[in-house]
Amino acid sequence: MEKSCSLLVHFDKGTPAIANEIREALEGNDVEAKIDAMKKAIMLLLNGETLPQLFITIVRYVLPSEDHTVQKLLLLYLEIIEKTDAKGRVLPEMILICQNLRNNLQHPNEYIRGVTLRFLCRLNETEIIEPLIPSVLQNLEHRHPYIRRNAILAMMSIYKLPQGEQILVDAPEMIEKLLSTEQDPSAKRNAFLMLFTCAQDRAVNYLLTNVDKVSEWGELLQMIVLDLIRKVCRTNRGEKGRYIKIIISLLNVPSTAVVYECAGTLVSLSYAPTAIRAAANTYCQLLLSQSDNNVKLIVLDRLNELKSSHREVMADMFMDILRALSSPNLDVRRKTLDIVLELVTNRNINEVVLTLKKEVVKTQNGELQKNGEYRQMLIQAIHSCAVKFPEVASTVVHLLMDFLGDSNVASATDVIVFVREIIETNPKLRVSIITRLLDTFYQIRASRVCACALWIIGEYCLSLSEVESGLATIKQCLGELPFYSLSEEEEGGNDSSKKVQQVNSMTVSSKRPAILSDGTYATQSAASETAFSPPTLVHGSLASGNLRSLLLTGDYFLGAVVACTLTKLVLRLEEVQPSKVEVHKASTQALLIIVSMLQLGQSPVLPHPIDNDSYDRIVLCIRLLCNTGDEMKKIWLQSCRQSFVSMLTEKQLRETAEIKAKAQISHAQPDDLIDFYHLKSRKGMSQLELEDEVQDDLKRATGEFIKEGDDANKLNRILQLTGFSDPVYAEAYVTVHHYDIVLDVTVINRTKETLQNLCLELATMGDLKLVERPQNYTLAPESSKKIKANIKVSSTETGVIFGNIVYETSNVHERTVVVLNDIHIDIMDYISPAVCSDGAFRTMWAEFEWENKVAVNTVIQDEKEFLDHIMKSTNMKCLTAPSALDGECGFLAANLYAKSVFGEDALVNVSIEKQVDGKLSGYIRIRSKTQGIALSLGDKITLKQKGGI
């Protein structure tokens, strides 16, 4: 076992110095050599050496030294050497150091006195300490505050020893008197801390006597006062009324640390709206006044906790929270928006949306970095507000449509998705949105945004003028036909490699119009022009070419979407256009465009040919335009939109169900006591105390004070570490709380002998770290001992805790070792189900580099049952809508998502197929940013997927 050491000494690892060399250096007069020798001696002691022969040398030659460094190292040496024999009695030679310690405590130098007093804080041997008590007490009255504050700490440590109360009988009274006269803030803090630790009643009396002066005390002392208040109120909730006044008075002190602790204490003690509002105001002030982003994030976490339990009070503070958007940090902005979006109500929606609109406008200047990402967050926030409160959609939709041509593709995608939802849920805005979309369509540069915009045009252009405008806009953006000339095709056939290189170097059209050689404008790049066709754009027009540019990069999926949109518009034209000639004309033009796209896909001009899916879709459009039937019209013009409506409805129902699930359901037992507020005495109670009493009664009546912990669940967490036949039986109760694991190990001596120096030796594998090493214990026959071990966790990688119990008996000189069962820390303790948008899921899926692919091997034969089993086993949430999983097709694909307590994202894709023999086959793919979570989840799924385990 390594010995504990309160200080670190730098030691250059090399050949350990021999004891004789150390002795020679200590006996010499060279101070530097003595310091070096003392350091070597200390390091050897810490590494398990005993060096008994050095003690007398150090007493003779080091004790008299006046050098401060030597004296400090001497005290460190005295701290770590063995001071007792095997039976626990103090060694006789230890008496030699008592005189030296007494001299140090009376030394004229304040530093020597101070470090000696600090040394006494770490001594546990009463026989050594007892002769020094008078000197320690004298130092309480020293003129220098450094000595007084250390003397108080020494007294507190001595008083806390097993026989400390007998050695220092009047210590609490002396410290209380000292507290009333002490002026130094640190010494005063230490004195109050001793009363708080050793004589809580005296600390409470002193606090209540000086209630009016608390706000004038030093920061350190005020922090201890808050600790005392929390401790007192936790044991006796009935007395919290008078302490809340103290906390309220401390909310106005200049120290931000005290103010933050005050707000936290207030929230933990009181449910009164006034108290919660005061705490929330304090947090908001800290949010604006502190420049450190970490502090802002911590404060936002506290506000988020308040929001979940006191939403009504927090709803009035949304504007104060929104001011945090002035921070340039994206994490701060994201958390701020998340909190505010859950506080939006009918009363404040207009102000929230107005603020968000102003922020969106600010992002248009290019001064700040990551403006595109921030704009995307704001667009998503506005989208969420418009879905909850449709009446605000009209005020924001046109502003956001200006960003359809945004260089940030994710931001532009969010805008078009928002427009698609609003045009369906707000029929009054349909005409204005379609008009605006057709006017700005040429600005769109991203393929995904173009595809979604084309779908909107195809579904929501209903009147004759809208349909004709839609057809004209698409034709204009495609440019003149054909997409390539015959000579280029031949050249492409002769020299394909050259053409491929030319295509790859082609640039996508820019927003700014270019001036061609003949003086006309074009939005398509020169590379596109020369690579594929002679000047084919509409001369003198700024609105042409974006669809053409994308098609010429080989985006055949977009070509299929263009074909479908043209088909829908022609079918709609048949219903609204009385002139058959015009209909046939439009149909012919549409067919020409579609066939041209098909030819482009099959030509050698582009680096790769058209894919089969896009080819089939385009051919279907050609067939439909050549031979339209009523049944096909109904499918193309109605069914698609109905599917979209049902998707929106289901999404809304799902969100409503989640909100209901989050609502706290409290139960009161039939025989629970309920106090009647109106029958209570109000004499001498302030408004805040009255409110607090009422809130406590309400919480008690609704069962919110009842702990949810179930004893039955605790039994499931107990792990047997040794066998029943072992001389020592041990079992552990494992508690996992975020970054900490606490092992409560119960050790039972099953023998008739006393076990000496019993020690629980633990070691860890993985990202686990032992915080402290358990001590040695003596266990009487057939008695038990509870030992606690704390372990820190740094990631979700599966960890293992293993170890031994080592002990000695009086009969056997050798140590006996009992090997313990391994404790496997389950990844399920760290991950919890979470929700993210489909777009965010796809983005993360593309970015994350760690993937673990697990083949499906299960006895379960139903696809949905297998999916439910995987979700339950991995503690993940299914992002795929239930409607998408309905039906019996023999195939299932679903996305699962979870977050760890360390902020890691876990993505899972389940793709399974039912074979002819009824068995399921397929793969489960896991992706994450770190290797640990991907491997751990994969191991968990492999273990659990068979079903019934």
Side-chain angles (χ1 to χ4, degrees), residues 485-517:
S485 64
L486 191 62
S487 60
E488 284 178 335
E489 185 179 4
E490 290 169 2
E491 186 184 338
N494 296 334
D495 191 7
S496 57
S497 61
K498 182 179 176 185
K499 186 58 65 182
V500 169
Q501 190 179 356
Q502 207 171 355
V503 171
N504 288 342
S505 66
M506 183 186 67
T507 57
V508 179
S509 58
S510 61
K511 289 182 185 177
R512 195 171 293 175
I515 302 174
L516 299 177
S517 55

Side-chain angles (χ1 to χ4, degrees), residues 50 73 181 259 375 396 440 542 582 641 666 672 704 714:
T50 51
L73 289 169
T181 56
V259 167
R375 190 184 306 125
V396 293
T440 57
L542 293 175
E582 292 296 324
R641 189 166 165 188
S666 303
D672 276 359
E704 287 193 26
K714 283 189 175 182

